[in-house]
Amino acid sequence: MLVFISSALIVVYTIFFHIHIASKKQCVSPATGKCISMGVGMVSSTMIGLILALLIPGELAYSTVLSIIISGVFSYFIGQHFGASGMIEALSSGFMGAMMGAMLGDMTPENRQTFIIVAMDIIYLLSILSLMFMVNKEVVKQNAMAKTKLTPLLLSFVLSISVIGIAVTMKARTHVPLDMPEMNMNMNHQHQH
């Protein structure tokens, strides 16, 4: 369920970012646009690689190639607002992030998968929201009269963190430690002596 929520976050925030940038791209300088493309491409593709590696355990080659292909699609939508150089930045960072995410997912032990998914979700959300703040700052700099509302961004961040927290709590409640009966047997054995 946590992998599904992480996947949904990536799709929803990529669409949200795409829409958010579409109306403001004329206010963003080319240098800032390349930086934004690179940042979003990197964090999105790292999450995609991580999720695919966790869904296809032990198959690093397949998860890497698949994550590069999927990240390329996401990177196209991210970078297209900032011209050819923005697209190249997004695709390049997406390629690197997809490989790193797939390696991270493949190397993560099973008992640490929940931790790494939650940590990467939080890093992803903070990165996306900080880049959206960066865009809003550029818009305000270009047009002193334009007041952009940041409340929806903060509300979406709090809502996303809440959903992740609920999913982790539900997973923790359904997870029963497998070594518990063995521990009880050892404790009973020690008490009998």
Side-chain angles (χ1 to χ4, degrees):
M1 179 162 161
L2 198 54
V3 171
F4 173 74
I5 290 171
S6 294
S7 304
L9 278 176
I10 294 168
V11 171
V12 168
Y13 274 94
T14 300
I15 292 169
F16 184 59
F17 185 82
H18 185 72
I19 292 167
H20 182 77
I21 292 295
S23 62
K24 298 175 170 85
K25 65 182 177 184
Q26 68 277 1
C27 297
V28 178
S29 68
T32 304
K34 289 195 306 187
C35 179
I36 291 169
S37 297
M38 184 178 65
V40 177
M42 179 65 78
V43 294
S44 298
S45 60
T46 303
M47 282 299 299
I48 291 168
L50 174 67
I51 289 168
L52 287 173
L54 295 176
L55 290 174
I56 315 170
E59 295 292 343
L60 182 58
Y62 293 133
S63 62
T64 301
V65 171
L66 195 57
S67 65
I68 289 170
I69 292 168
I70 294 171
S71 295
V73 173
F74 276 78
S75 296
Y76 171 78
F77 285 110
I78 292 163
Q80 77 177 22
H81 295 296
F82 304 109
S85 60
M87 260 202 225
I88 291 169
E89 288 285 341
L91 288 168
S92 300
S93 61
F95 180 80
M96 186 169 58
M99 289 193 300
M100 289 189 309
M103 285 188 286
L104 175 64
D106 199 55
M107 292 187 299
T108 303
E110 197 171 328
N111 62 342
R112 298 285 184 255
Q113 287 179 356
T114 300
F115 169 76
I116 197 68
I117 291 173
V118 171
M120 291 303 293
D121 279 344
I122 292 169
I123 291 168
Y124 174 80
L125 288 170
L126 288 172
S127 299
I128 293 293
L129 291 175
S130 65
L131 290 168
M132 286 185 183
F133 282 129
M134 183 187 242
V135 170
N136 283 340
K137 187 177 176 183
E138 289 279 318
V139 169
V140 170
K141 195 188 303 180
Q142 289 285 332
N143 185 0
M145 300 301 288
K147 291 284 185 183
T148 56
K149 294 182 180 179
L150 301 178
T151 307
L153 292 176
L154 294 175
L155 185 62
S156 69
F157 177 73
V158 170
L159 183 64
S160 299
I161 295 293
S162 300
V163 169
I164 293 168
I166 291 169
V168 169
T169 304
M170 289 174 53
K171 184 172 180 164
R173 287 186 179 178
T174 59
H175 178 66
V176 178
L178 298 175
D179 56 335
M180 198 67 154
E182 183 181 309
M183 189 174 79
N184 288 338
M185 282 180 44
N186 288 339
M187 290 177 74
N188 289 337
H189 185 66
Q190 290 173 353
H191 288 289
Q192 290 175 357
H193 288 288

